[in-house]
């Protein structure tokens, strides 16, 4: 009996997959290089760090899918919303400066990272609907997303800022923000429908989205006096409050998950397996 106890204690902490360690290591080196050599340590580079962390999130999801040879545990509707969100933002940031970091990382790195993220999302969608459709849990991925897309676009038309001085592209950037925030809902719904079990890479993916949103929200708070709009009510800058509210909503949606995620890492390490109370997720 006693001889089995050390083994049981050793198994309590899950071994961290090499792919997760490598992804975090590569990101840390890349982020430090961009911050120091490209942005010269300027505060506005926090926006570039935010999109790099979002890129890391989808890299972890891609590593999971390729390592397992399946798309099990991934919500395609979440990916669809994120693909539209990225395309909406890129329609603005690839040629207009209104929503870019003012440091040198906003000249190329910011856009390149978002393009790479979009390519990974499209790759995952291709696997989901084509090459690995056999492993797609379509019955669980049942949250309607068309009303979400329509609602986000309508709110963007009403609440967009005017940093680009072009109504269409200001609307598209705001639409990208709103859709990106709401894209976590299909994944949380999916987790709920599949019993609340979250594998390590999926958990890290969701957590990195929250960290990314926290960083971009921090930047937006500091830049709140610089973001302008054509007000519906004289003296009320509705755009910045809509932007900040979207960031807060994203973090609120992931609040319960964040608690269990941190708890799982502390008890099991980075290679955790997490079973969430489904009632808390949606």
């Amino acid at each position: 009996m006693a001889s089995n106890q050390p083994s049981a204690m050793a198994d309590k902490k899950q071994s961290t997959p090499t792919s997760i360690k490598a992804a975090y290591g590569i990101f840390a080196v890349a982020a430090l290089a961009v911050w120091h050599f490209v942005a010269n340590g300027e505060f506005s580079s926090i926006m570039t760090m935010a999109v790099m962390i979002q890129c890391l999130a989808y890299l972890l999801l891609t590593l999971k899918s390729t390592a397992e040879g399946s798309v099990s545990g991934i919500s395609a509707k979440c990916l669809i919303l994120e693909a539209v969100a990225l395309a909406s933002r890129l329609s603005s940031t690839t040629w207009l400066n209104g929503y870019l970091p003012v440091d040198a990382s906003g000249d190329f790195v910011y856009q390149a990272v978002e393009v790479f993220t979009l390519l990974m999302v499209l790759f995952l969608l291709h696997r989901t609907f084509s090459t690995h459709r056999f492993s797609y849990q379509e019955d669980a991925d049942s949250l309607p997303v068309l009303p979400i897309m329509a609602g986000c676009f309508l709110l963007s038309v009403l609440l967009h800022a005017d940093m680009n001085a072009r109504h269409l592209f200001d609307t598209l950037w705001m639409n990208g923000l709103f859709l990106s925030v709401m894209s976590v809902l299909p994944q949380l719904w999916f987790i709920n429908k599949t019993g609340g079990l979250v594998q390590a890479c999926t958990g890290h993916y969701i957590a990195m989205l929250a960290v990314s949103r926290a960083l971009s929200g921090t930047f937006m708070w500091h830049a709140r006096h610089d973001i302008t709009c054509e007000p519906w009510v004289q003296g009320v800058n509705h755009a910045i409050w809509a932007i900040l509210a979207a960031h807060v909503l994203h973090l609120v949606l992931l609040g319960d998950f964040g608690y269990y995620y941190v708890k799982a890492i502390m008890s099991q390490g980075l290679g955790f397996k997490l079973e969430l109370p489904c009632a808390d997720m949606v």
Side-chain angles (χ1 to χ4, degrees):
M1 293 291 290
S3 60
N4 291 332
Q5 289 179 356
S7 176
M9 293 292 291
D11 289 342
K12 187 175 180 181
K13 280 219 170 191
Q14 304 288 331
S15 60
T16 304
T18 303
S19 59
I20 294 179
K21 292 179 180 178
Y24 277 116
I26 292 170
F27 163 77
V29 172
L32 182 61
V34 169
W35 179 78
H36 183 70
F37 295 109
V38 179
N40 293 318
E42 292 193 31
F43 177 77
S44 64
S45 65
I46 193 173
M47 280 291 288
T48 306
M49 298 300 106
V51 297
M52 291 181 72
I53 292 174
Q54 182 188 42
C55 184
L56 171 63
Y58 284 97
L59 175 60
L60 291 167
L61 204 60
T62 301
L63 290 172
K64 164 187 159 54
S65 179
T66 53
E68 295 177 356
S70 79
V71 293
S72 175
I74 298 175
S75 166
K77 292 184 177 179
C78 169
L79 297 175
I80 290 170
L81 290 180
E82 194 60 60
V84 177
L86 287 162
S88 295
R89 290 200 302 273
L90 284 166
S91 72
S92 166
T93 56
T94 49
W95 69 292
L96 296 168
N97 296 323
Y99 303 94
L100 289 172
V102 296
D103 61 86
S105 67
D107 295 338
F108 173 74
V109 175
Y110 183 97
Q111 299 90 329
V113 171
E114 290 227 298
V115 167
F116 183 61
T117 304
L118 177 58
L119 290 175
M120 284 193 291
V121 172
L122 294 175
F123 171 73
L124 288 169
L125 282 170
H126 175 69
R127 289 172 69 84
T128 301
F129 291 118
S130 181
T131 58
H132 292 75
R133 190 178 181 90
F134 63 89
S135 60
Y136 172 40
Q137 297 160 282
E138 189 170 0
D139 290 343
D141 198 14
S142 57
L143 183 69
V145 294
L146 284 179
I148 294 175
M149 296 175 74
C152 287
F153 186 75
L154 178 59
L155 287 174
S156 301
V157 171
L158 296 173
L159 300 175
H160 67 79
D162 63 357
M163 300 298 290
N164 287 327
R166 290 175 170 84
H167 289 298
L168 174 60
F169 295 100
D170 285 314
T171 297
L172 287 173
W173 184 89
M174 187 71 91
N175 186 56
L177 170 62
F178 288 164
L179 284 175
S180 190
V181 167
M182 299 305 291
S183 69
V184 299
L185 280 180
Q187 186 65 53
L188 295 178
W189 179 278
F190 182 96
I191 292 170
N192 182 68
K193 291 294 184 180
T194 52
L197 184 64
V198 180
Q199 300 291 336
C201 279
T202 305
H204 291 302
Y205 149 72
I206 297 172
M208 290 304 101
L209 292 180
V211 173
S212 171
R213 192 66 59 206
L215 286 179
S216 63
T218 300
F219 175 82
M220 289 299 176
W221 174 256
H222 281 271
R224 65 191 183 277
H225 299 301
D226 300 318
I227 296 174
T228 59
C229 68
E230 297 178 8
W232 292 103
V233 178
Q234 190 63 35
V236 177
N237 185 344
H238 58 261
I240 185 56
W241 292 113
I243 290 169
L244 293 173
H247 284 78
V248 171
L249 176 60
H250 193 148
L251 297 178
V252 169
L253 289 172
L254 296 179
D256 286 329
F257 170 83
Y259 167 76
Y260 293 110
Y261 171 80
V262 172
K263 189 176 178 180
I265 286 182
M266 293 180 67
S267 62
Q268 302 177 47
L270 292 176
F272 63 84
K273 288 185 180 179
L274 176 59
E275 189 167 350
L276 298 167
C278 293
D280 290 346
M281 297 309 297
V282 290

